[in-house]
Amino acid sequence: MLGWSITFFILALIAAALGFTGIAGAASGIAQILFIVFLVLLVLSFVIRAFRGQSVV
C-alpha cells in the first residue's frame, strides 16, 4: 500500500513538472488517500497485536 502511495506521489510530481495539472491533482489525491489508509491499517495492526500480547517487532 505504501509502495502504491509513493508511486502516485512520484507520478503527481512528474505530471506537475510537465504542466498536466489535472492529472497531477488526481494523482496526489489518490496518493494521499492511500497513505492515510496505510497509516490506519498500520495503527490497527499495532493495536490488535498489543491486545493479543504479541510483540510489535
Side-chain angles (χ1 to χ4, degrees):
M1 178 102 36
L2 185 59
W4 280 106
S5 179
I6 292 171
T7 301
F8 277 105
F9 176 70
I10 292 172
L11 178 68
L13 289 177
I14 293 171
L18 295 176
F20 300 114
T21 56
I23 296 172
S28 68
I30 293 171
Q32 287 175 351
I33 291 170
L34 288 175
F35 186 70
I36 290 170
V37 169
F38 167 76
L39 288 179
V40 167
L41 291 175
L42 180 70
V43 170
L44 186 65
S45 172
F46 285 159
V47 169
I48 290 173
R49 283 178 161 255
F51 281 125
R52 288 187 179 173
Q54 298 174 347
S55 65
V56 175
V57 179

